Amino acid sequence: MNRVVDISSIKLSCRSCSLSELCLPRGLSDSELDDLERMMKQGRPIRRGEPLFRVGDPFHSLFAVRSGSIKVHLPTVNGEEQIVGFHLPGELLGLDAMGHEVHTCTAIALETSSVCELPYRQMQELCHQFSGLNEQFLSLISKEISGEHEMLLMLGKKNAEVRLATFLLNLSARFKARGFSEREFNLSMSRHDIANYLGLAVETVSRLFTRFHDEGVLQVQRRLVMIKDIQQLRAIAQVSDKNCPAAAR
Amino acid sequence: MNRVVDISSIKLSCRSCSLSELCLPRGLSDSELDDLERMMKQGRPIRRGEPLFRVGDPFHSLFAVRSGSIKVHLPTVNGEEQIVGFHLPGELLGLDAMGHEVHTCTAIALETSSVCELPYRQMQELCHQFSGLNEQFLSLISKEISGEHEMLLMLGKKNAEVRLATFLLNLSARFKARGFSEREFNLSMSRHDIANYLGLAVETVSRLFTRFHDEGVLQVQRRLVMIKDIQQLRAIAQVSDKNCPAAAR
DNA sequence: CGGCCTATTGACGCTACTCAACATGAGTGG
DNA sequence: CCACTCATGTTGAGTAGCGTCAATAGGCCG
């Protein structure tokens, strides 16, 4: 089964990475990319359920998802936890810990995933040298913040139906931006994760999937989702023109 | 009544500002402070209800609250809106728009307030020159992000009682960090604003204030809040040791 | 095949929302 | 100074959306 491939020998290259337009390299020159690639470390792939970092772990690197998907959550005293984001390839992890000693949240792989490690000190030095990199970095940060604002709006004002529809449309747009189908995709997260993220009970999410299915909006087979009527889904999500176009996040 | 004082002639000084330990100047040398002060612009004070910026306004500056308090919210199609934060002196505004053309949220003064305007370009240049400033900047950003994570946890998992208790303790800690009483303070925001922020109905917030009052936890007179039993309030908010000590945000 | 985990479906109940009436205070003008 | 209005806040009654509990179904893996 296991072909012997030394994964660490695969040269990490931003230039050959399909995500460069979403990720940090966006807008960099060739020589700048060289330096960026030199700085990056590739760890071993993380398997489903394994942590990339945990609350309280010392912070020294940011991470960019290269493949797979990763959930980020805050554990609480009661044992309950709140998922604050699902990260797809090209998205950054660990921003909440910048300028602090330790991570304030936990990142767990939803499937076998690989990440590019960006040692924070070196990253800062590179940002210092290349203003373009710094700009793209801050731009990604601000997207993170506005994305979280949208999420606050969801949890504060929207009912269960709107939340799930918005969630699916958001995923759809992000898959599309990554060259995948916007109509048909596999959810890497469980119903439990979705419910947790959306502030709902698992049963409510399950019932909504069934309802959307019955209404002909979706076709759902376990974790495979096919969007049958995207206009209707948008109507349910109450999207305005403003929210609709871009691949948010 | 109105003594004639040309407000624009009052020299803006970070050095004399009591907030320097919370705000950007933290850790800067005297000469660096000089440059920072030279960059800053002081606008006229904003009165209650007036906007600092609105969704769609062109972005060219960040703002630091100097006095007063400012609410930030996202307007939506339905006319409903979601307040995503209340900003006290020393806190930054406009981070969500960095690297973009326009603001993605609206900032409204809750009372007569003054802000320091930080032109974004110049701010970036200064960050480039002074790594200490850049670090403090990123540190404030990451605090913003983790603060929003906490908020997601509140809206996703906590009931009304816990939300209001947590909100009051958070305000209390932030007032304390600014040299005010942690036990007694005036709320600059209406019940409506509080309810909106916490994802609750106004009536629920009002009922909770009454309940806390009856239980001897608070003494409430309209917008004046006196915390009578802070231990009990912490118990209600389910604070762990982890969340308790620092002046979050 | 059997055990385990994830997902679905149904019945019921509670929390917090909605609607409505009323109270209180601030501001305004006579 | 008082009467008036308007904004803000409080209180009560009824209800609905969603959570909880419980049982069942379906996939996956050893």
Side-chain angles (χ1 to χ4, degrees):
Chain A
M1 207 62 141
N2 275 317
R3 294 284 303 279
V4 179
V5 173
D6 181 2
I7 197 90
S8 61
S9 71
I10 299 176
K11 182 70 194 83
L12 205 60
S13 162
C14 288
R15 218 160 302 159
S16 68
C17 182
S18 61
L19 302 164
S20 55
E21 275 310 297
L22 298 165
C23 193
L24 280 173
R26 185 183 145 104
L28 294 195
S29 72
D30 274 7
S31 75
E32 290 171 343
L33 277 177
D34 280 339
D35 284 344
L36 186 61
E37 288 173 8
R38 236 191 305 281
M39 173 192 72
M40 284 192 323
K41 292 196 270 184
Q42 169 138 39
R44 57 175 179 72
I46 316 161
R47 279 170 307 181
R48 178 182 148 79
E50 285 181 358
L52 179 58
F53 53 79
R54 290 188 166 282
V55 168
D57 283 358
F59 166 73
H60 32 66
S61 292
L62 298 173
F63 299 91
V65 182
R66 192 172 176 83
S67 68
S69 51
I70 290 176
K71 73 171 170 182
V72 176
H73 67 87
L74 273 60
T76 67
V77 253
N78 329 1
E80 65 187 354
E81 53 183 53
Q82 174 69 42
I83 297 177
V84 297
F86 299 109
H87 290 251
L88 299 186
E91 294 172 344
L92 292 183
L93 287 161
L95 294 177
D96 55 280
M98 293 185 303
H100 297 94
E101 300 295 312
V102 297
H103 284 283
T104 63
C105 51
T106 295
I108 306 273
L110 288 169
E111 58 196 312
T112 302
S113 305
S114 63
V115 297
C116 304
E117 180 173 352
L118 306 152
Y120 185 59
R121 280 276 142 243
Q122 296 173 50
M123 167 83 187
Q124 279 313 105
E125 278 168 31
L126 226 57
C127 279
H128 186 78
Q129 288 173 48
F130 308 136
S131 67
L133 179 62
N134 195 45
E135 272 171 37
Q136 174 65 0
F137 181 49
L138 289 170
S139 171
L140 288 174
I141 289 175
S142 79
K143 277 211 190 83
E144 177 83 19
I145 293 177
S146 18
E148 248 138 55
H149 284 176
E150 292 293 332
M151 202 57 205
L152 290 177
L153 173 63
M154 285 252 285
L155 297 184
K157 296 279 171 299
K158 307 297 187 181
N159 65 21
E161 193 180 53
V162 177
R163 291 187 203 181
L164 185 60
T166 307
F167 172 70
L168 291 172
L169 286 171
N170 177 283
L171 272 187
S172 166
R174 284 154 77 195
F175 282 131
K176 185 184 183 188
R178 282 157 186 79
F180 298 109
S181 168
E182 62 174 329
R183 302 288 176 132
E184 187 174 337
F185 44 84
N186 260 291
L187 300 171
S188 58
M189 66 292 286
S190 67
R191 298 286 191 270
H192 188 88
D193 284 340
I194 296 173
N196 183 303
Y197 178 59
L198 298 178
L200 301 170
V202 193
E203 295 89 334
T204 304
V205 171
S206 187
R207 274 184 257 268
L208 284 170
F209 269 120
T210 307
R211 194 200 301 176
F212 288 167
H213 186 108
D214 292 348
E215 290 171 353
V217 179
L218 298 180
Q219 206 163 314
V220 188
Q221 290 164 17
R222 214 166 164 74
R223 294 197 179 184
L224 177 65
V225 172
M226 283 164 283
I227 300 176
K228 289 298 179 188
D229 186 347
I230 203 162
Q231 285 310 324
Q232 181 58 18
L233 194 58
R234 290 207 179 106
I236 295 172
Q238 307 174 343
V239 260
S240 60
D241 296 334
K242 173 200 132 209
N243 306 336
C244 155
R249 177 133 233 193
Chain B
M1 202 67 136
N2 275 314
R3 292 284 302 280
V4 180
V5 173
D6 181 2
I7 197 90
S8 62
S9 72
I10 298 174
K11 181 72 194 82
L12 206 58
S13 161
C14 288
R15 217 160 302 158
S16 69
C17 182
S18 60
L19 302 163
S20 56
E21 276 310 297
L22 298 165
C23 194
L24 280 173
R26 187 183 144 103
L28 295 194
S29 73
D30 273 7
S31 76
E32 290 170 343
L33 277 178
D34 280 339
D35 285 343
L36 186 62
E37 288 173 9
R38 237 189 306 280
M39 174 192 72
M40 284 192 321
K41 291 196 269 182
Q42 169 138 40
R44 57 175 179 72
I46 316 160
R47 277 170 308 179
R48 177 182 151 80
E50 285 181 356
L52 180 58
F53 53 79
R54 290 188 166 280
V55 169
D57 282 359
F59 166 73
H60 33 65
S61 292
L62 299 174
F63 299 91
V65 182
R66 191 170 176 84
S67 69
S69 51
I70 291 175
K71 73 171 169 182
V72 176
H73 67 86
L74 273 59
T76 67
V77 253
N78 329 1
E80 65 186 354
E81 53 183 53
Q82 174 69 43
I83 296 177
V84 297
F86 299 110
H87 290 252
L88 299 187
E91 295 172 343
L92 293 184
L93 288 161
L95 295 177
D96 55 279
M98 293 185 303
H100 297 95
E101 300 295 310
V102 297
H103 285 282
T104 64
C105 51
T106 295
I108 305 273
L110 288 168
E111 58 196 312
T112 301
S113 305
S114 62
V115 297
C116 305
E117 180 174 353
L118 306 152
Y120 185 58
R121 281 276 140 244
Q122 297 173 48
M123 167 84 187
Q124 279 313 104
E125 279 167 31
L126 227 57
C127 280
H128 187 78
Q129 290 174 46
F130 308 136
S131 66
L133 179 61
N134 195 44
E135 273 170 38
Q136 174 65 0
F137 181 48
L138 289 170
S139 171
L140 287 175
I141 289 174
S142 78
K143 277 210 189 85
E144 177 83 20
I145 293 176
S146 18
E148 249 137 57
H149 284 175
E150 293 293 332
M151 203 58 206
L152 289 177
L153 173 63
M154 285 251 285
L155 297 185
K157 295 280 173 299
K158 307 297 188 180
N159 65 23
E161 193 181 54
V162 178
R163 291 187 203 181
L164 184 61
T166 308
F167 171 71
L168 291 172
L169 287 170
N170 177 283
L171 273 187
S172 165
R174 283 154 78 196
F175 282 130
K176 185 184 182 188
R178 283 159 184 77
F180 298 110
S181 167
E182 61 174 330
R183 303 288 177 133
E184 187 173 338
F185 44 84
N186 260 292
L187 300 172
S188 57
M189 66 290 287
S190 67
R191 298 286 191 271
H192 188 88
D193 284 339
I194 297 173
N196 182 303
Y197 179 60
L198 298 178
L200 301 170
V202 193
E203 295 91 331
T204 305
V205 171
S206 187
R207 275 184 256 269
L208 284 170
F209 269 119
T210 308
R211 195 202 299 176
F212 288 168
H213 186 108
D214 292 348
E215 290 171 354
V217 179
L218 297 181
Q219 205 163 315
V220 187
Q221 290 163 18
R222 216 167 162 74
R223 295 197 178 184
L224 176 65
V225 172
M226 283 164 281
I227 300 177
K228 289 299 178 187
D229 186 346
I230 202 161
Q231 286 309 324
Q232 181 59 18
L233 194 59
R234 291 206 179 106
I236 295 171
Q238 307 173 344
V239 260
S240 60
D241 296 334
K242 172 199 133 209
N243 306 336
C244 153
R249 179 139 232 187

